[in-house]
Amino acid sequence: MIYVSTFGITIPAGWPSRAAEATAHVRAASQAGSSRGQALKERASVWRDMSTELAKCSSNKCWYCETRVVRDDFYVEHYRPKGRVDSLPSHPGYWWLAFDSSNYRFACKYCNERRVDALGGTSGGKLDRFPIVDESDRAVGEGDDIGRESPVLLDPTVPTDPALLDFATDGRVVASSEEPAPRRRAIESIEAYHLDHERLNGRRGQVASEVVSGMNRVRLTMRRLDEIDTADTARHAIARSEFTEALRWLAKYMMRDSEYTAAAKAMIREGKRETETYFDQLLEI
């Protein structure tokens, strides 16, 4: 998971009025005692029409796991679930936020849907889960202040949340803190978004391995550069070029449009030495 900024997102022409009408449609169904779920389905095209713009924010990567979505449906995931809240049968779901674009996240089907990973023996998928720290702060109806809620699940649109996850060299995702509160958020998010899916671990592990190899290549070319007298301009220029090319090769894993950049940067932070300031610059990309 990396921070995803939604500032400057393009809202399709006419979308706000469609969203307002859809909210009114669902509100009317609720007041009339009709099926709220059916009313939501009848206006599902409203949130689906935001999928392309949401995908652009992350170069078509899932906001939760950083896997690029190229063939599957572009899922618009409701961070606060629209129809119901898991484990709270009396909660109506955050239906009044169903057409609020600030509640949308771009998700792959493995993070969005409940699935079992037979290979790794895990299960996950967010679906309609939305635990909060204190249930007394839970918003249960239109007009309630959602700002009082402290969500447990990590939110990629909150700059500080992705840092609560860290990665091992084999690609496994772990909590970055041992403090109870942030650790709980990390652990529950790993399960809810199914970030411990075995194939996902493998793909992140491959990236981690390549980053470690890239760091060693940078160190080797830097050592060669240091060994050449600057007065030997021709050889020094070649060595400088090799060092720069090694950095460029490694930098491609740091780019925001690359998959699993969070794991790649974790390898750099874990493996770099204090004197290797050139790696710090890669972390700023």
Side-chain angles (χ1 to χ4, degrees), residues 209-277:
S209 177
E210 291 171 359
V211 168
V212 171
S213 295
M215 293 177 71
N216 290 333
R217 178 185 173 191
V218 168
R219 291 184 178 111
L220 177 62
T221 56
M222 186 64 190
R223 187 160 58 248
R224 289 173 179 167
L225 181 62
D226 287 341
E227 291 172 352
I228 296 174
D229 193 323
T230 55
D232 191 343
T233 56
R235 290 184 62 217
H236 195 270
I238 292 173
R240 167 63 64 179
S241 177
E242 291 175 344
F243 171 69
T244 300
E245 183 57 31
L247 279 177
R248 284 175 177 160
W249 186 89
L250 188 55
K252 68 183 180 182
Y253 292 96
M254 309 296 119
M255 305 300 290
R256 291 188 62 84
D257 60 354
S258 297
E259 290 185 304
Y260 317 121
T261 53
K265 290 188 175 184
M267 294 306 101
I268 295 228
R269 286 191 295 268
E270 179 68 22
K272 80 177 190 68
R273 301 158 191 152
E274 288 187 11
T275 57
E276 297 174 326
T277 56

Side-chain angles (χ1 to χ4, degrees), residues 34-225:
S34 302
S35 170
R36 186 185 297 113
Q38 180 61 35
L40 286 166
K41 288 181 181 179
E42 291 168 354
R43 296 296 187 271
S45 63
V46 176
W47 64 73
R48 289 173 183 160
D49 286 347
M50 283 293 295
S51 63
T52 299
E53 297 306 321
L54 295 171
K56 288 179 182 177
C57 293
S58 59
S59 300
N60 292 350
K61 294 193 300 182
C62 170
W63 291 9
Y64 296 122
C65 72
E66 286 197 89
T67 299
R68 186 169 290 109
V69 181
V70 293
R71 297 187 64 188
D72 296 328
D73 292 335
F74 279 18
Y75 286 98
V76 175
E77 198 273 317
H78 291 74
Y79 181 61
R80 286 177 167 83
K82 61 187 180 297
R84 65 182 296 273
V85 176
D86 182 63
S87 76
L88 295 174
S90 64
H91 196 285
Y94 297 81
W95 61 267
W96 63 95
L97 299 177
F99 309 101
D100 184 338
S101 62
S102 68
N103 191 39
Y104 297 163
R105 309 292 182 266
F106 180 63
C108 71
K109 63 184 178 183
Y110 285 94
C111 289
N112 188 43
E113 299 176 354
R114 291 291 293 174
R115 289 173 179 267
V116 174
D117 173 22
L119 179 63
T122 61
S123 63
K126 181 174 178 290
L127 200 57
D128 50 21
R129 286 190 275 185
F130 191 69
I132 63 174
V133 173
D134 186 343
E135 276 298 329
S136 66
D137 293 330
R138 174 82 68 179
V140 296
E142 189 176 15
D144 288 351
D145 183 10
I146 62 171
R148 294 184 57 189
E149 297 180 336
S150 294
V152 172
L153 298 184
L154 301 181
D155 183 355
T157 70
V158 175
T160 53
D161 275 10
L164 298 183
L165 298 176
D166 202 357
F167 299 87
T169 55
D170 61 359
R172 289 180 299 105
V173 59
V174 297
S176 64
S177 174
E178 291 300 324
E179 293 294 323
R183 180 174 176 79
R184 177 199 173 187
R185 297 192 66 204
I187 296 300
E188 292 200 27
S189 297
I190 290 170
E191 195 275 332
Y193 301 137
H194 212 171
L195 300 181
D196 54 351
H197 191 282
E198 190 63 26
R199 281 181 289 173
L200 182 58
N201 289 341
R203 293 179 68 176
R204 285 192 304 245
Q206 181 178 355
V207 167
S209 177
E210 291 171 359
V211 168
V212 171
S213 295
M215 293 177 71
N216 290 333
R217 178 185 173 191
V218 168
R219 291 184 178 111
L220 177 62
T221 56
M222 186 64 190
R223 187 160 58 248
R224 289 173 179 167
L225 181 62

